[in-house]
Structure formats: structure tokens, C-alpha cells
């Protein structure tokens, strides 16, 4: 079986943009869905086959799905809040939610644009934006800019991989590998950035012997 020919046929399928769209929507409120790897794999295979129209359709589907998924997370946060379920009331989760809530009105652009690259972080930021009653008319433009920038990053990774390796199979594998490494790095940075610092411990009082001080 010629895997390259098979991947070329799959990349040209009209179902690919729909799959990318659905995966990106789900990833917006359910982080285990691997949207980044799906998008870059589809884009890399399509770029390698030389179909610019299909590449454009997939990129638009990725950005549109990301906006829709972010809006669902926003709506869930606005409707059910951040304390409905027991796991939301855990101290670590509450600290992150409080940290994000305190900043989402002051610097929503930074949180939404940066959070888009952290799978768990973007769900937390978008849900907190909804729960904190950030106006949707402010949220939607920022979410759209973040989604378009994210889709362009995926396209850039896919294009470099396709140009370097030339065939759909290796281009897809290379693009997925790069995106996984990038995701791990950004996730680590995002977790550190979104996690509030632990409160400083108060120094222990000096030990005393119970004797009165010498005159």
C-alpha cells in the first residue's frame, strides 16, 4: 500500500475540513481532544499535495471551530459558574480560578490570546471569562483574533514541515512532532503563568526557655 497516495486522497477529501472543525469545537471545552495535532497533520498532508484551496478551507475550519469551542466554554462558565461541581471547589482549582477572575476584566486580551496556546489554560480562561460576566461583545473579538493567530501558527508549522520533507506522510509526522513539543513547552509556561504563587510562609517565632531575662 502506498501510504503517501492514501494520505493524499484523504487530504483531498471534503470531509477533512468538517472533521477539523468538529475537533476544534470539542477541544474548546474538552481539552483531551487533540486539536493541534489534528490540524497540523491535516494541513501538512494537504500542503504537501499542493492543494492551496483545501489548505485554506482547513485553516478557516480550524479557526472557526476554535472560536465556536471557546464560545461554548464561555457559555458554560456563564451558565453554571465555577463552583457547580466538587472538583471545582478544590483549593488548587479555586486559587487558579480566583487568580484568573481577578485579571480577566483588567487584561482580557493577554489572558485570552495567551491562553489559546495552552489546552487546559484556554478552557479555564474562557470559562472564567463567562463566569466573571466579561461582556461577550468583548470576548468574541479577542477569541476570534486568538483563533486566527493559532490557525496561522498551525499552518506555518505544517508548511515548514511539508517544505522540508516533501511528502504527505513525513510532513504530517514532523508537523505533529513539532506541535507536540511546542505544546509541552507552552503548557508548562502557561501552567506556571496561570498558577498563583504560593503564599510566603511566616517565619517561626523564636524559641524561648521560659526564663526571665537577666537584669
Amino acid at each position: 500500500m502506498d501510504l503517501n497516495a492514501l494520505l493524499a486522497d484523504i487530504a483531498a477529501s471534503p470531509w477533512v475540513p468538517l472533521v477539523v472543525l468538529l475537533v476544534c469545537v470539542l477541544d474548546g471545552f474538552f481539552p483531551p481532544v487533540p486539536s493541534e495535532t489534528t490540524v497540523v497533520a491535516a494541513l501538512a498532508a494537504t500542503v504537501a499535495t499542493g492543494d492551496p484551496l483545501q489548505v485554506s478551507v482547513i485553516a478557516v475550519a480550524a479557526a472557526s471551530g476554535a472560536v465556536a469551542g471557546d464560545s461554548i466554554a464561555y457559555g458554560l462558565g456563564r451558565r453554571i459558574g465555577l463552583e457547580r461541581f466538587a472538583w471545582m471547589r478544590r483549593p488548587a482549582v479555586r486559587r487558579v480560578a480566583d487568580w484568573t477572575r481577578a485579571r480577566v476584566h483588567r487584561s482580557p486580551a493577554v489572558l485570552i490570546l495567551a491562553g489559546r496556546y495552552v489546552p487546559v489554560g484556554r478552557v479555564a480562561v474562557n470559562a472564567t471569562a463567562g463566569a466573571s460576566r466579561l461582556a461577550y461583545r468583548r470576548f468574541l473579538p479577542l477569541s476570534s483574533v486568538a483563533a486566527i493567530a493559532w490557525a496561522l501558527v498551525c499552518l506555518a508549522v505544517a508548511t515548514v514541515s511539508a517544505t522540508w520533507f516533501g511528502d504527505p506522510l513525513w510532513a504530517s509526522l514532523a508537523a505533529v512532532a513539532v506541535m507536540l513539543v511546542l505544546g509541552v513547552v507552552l503548557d508548562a509556561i502557561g501552567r506556571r503563568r496561570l498558577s498563583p504563587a504560593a503564599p510566603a510562609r511566616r517565619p517561626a517565632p523564636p524559641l524561648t526557655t521560659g526564663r526571665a531575662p537577666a537584669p
Side-chain angles (χ1 to χ4, degrees):
M1 178 184 295
D2 188 345
L3 290 179
N4 283 328
L6 178 61
L7 282 175
D9 291 339
I10 293 174
S13 170
W15 292 103
V16 171
L18 179 59
V19 171
V20 167
L21 175 69
L22 292 177
V23 167
C24 291
V25 170
L26 290 174
D27 181 58
F29 59 93
F30 189 63
V33 177
S35 64
E36 283 87 359
T37 54
T38 301
V39 172
V40 297
L43 284 172
T46 308
V47 170
T49 62
D51 187 349
L53 178 59
Q54 182 78 334
V55 170
S56 301
V57 172
I58 292 174
V60 170
S64 302
V67 173
D70 289 353
S71 295
I72 292 174
Y74 173 93
L76 290 174
R78 193 176 185 90
R79 185 173 182 82
I80 70 175
L82 300 176
E83 298 182 354
R84 174 68 60 86
F85 303 106
W87 65 269
M88 294 179 173
R89 296 189 290 272
R90 294 174 183 172
V93 177
R94 290 289 298 274
R95 284 197 300 270
V96 173
D98 291 343
W99 186 92
T100 306
R101 186 186 291 114
R103 290 161 177 78
V104 73
H105 286 278
R106 187 170 67 235
S107 53
V110 174
L111 288 177
I112 294 171
L113 292 174
R116 159 67 13 212
Y117 297 92
V118 184
V120 177
R122 61 177 168 247
V123 177
V125 168
N126 296 332
T128 302
S132 301
R133 296 297 191 268
L134 178 71
Y136 188 66
R137 64 178 179 274
R138 294 186 65 193
F139 174 83
L140 183 58
L142 294 174
S143 174
S144 300
V145 171
I148 292 171
W150 172 78
L152 291 176
V153 169
C154 292
L155 178 58
V157 171
T159 301
V160 171
S161 300
T163 302
W164 186 268
F165 289 97
D167 64 80
L169 176 60
W170 286 106
S172 298
L173 292 176
V176 168
V178 171
M179 211 62 186
L180 286 174
V181 172
L182 183 63
V184 169
V185 173
L186 291 174
D187 191 42
I189 295 173
R191 287 177 187 275
R192 180 177 298 180
R193 183 65 179 169
L194 292 176
S195 298
R201 297 181 62 182
R202 298 178 61 182
L207 295 176
T208 58
T209 60
R211 297 179 180 179

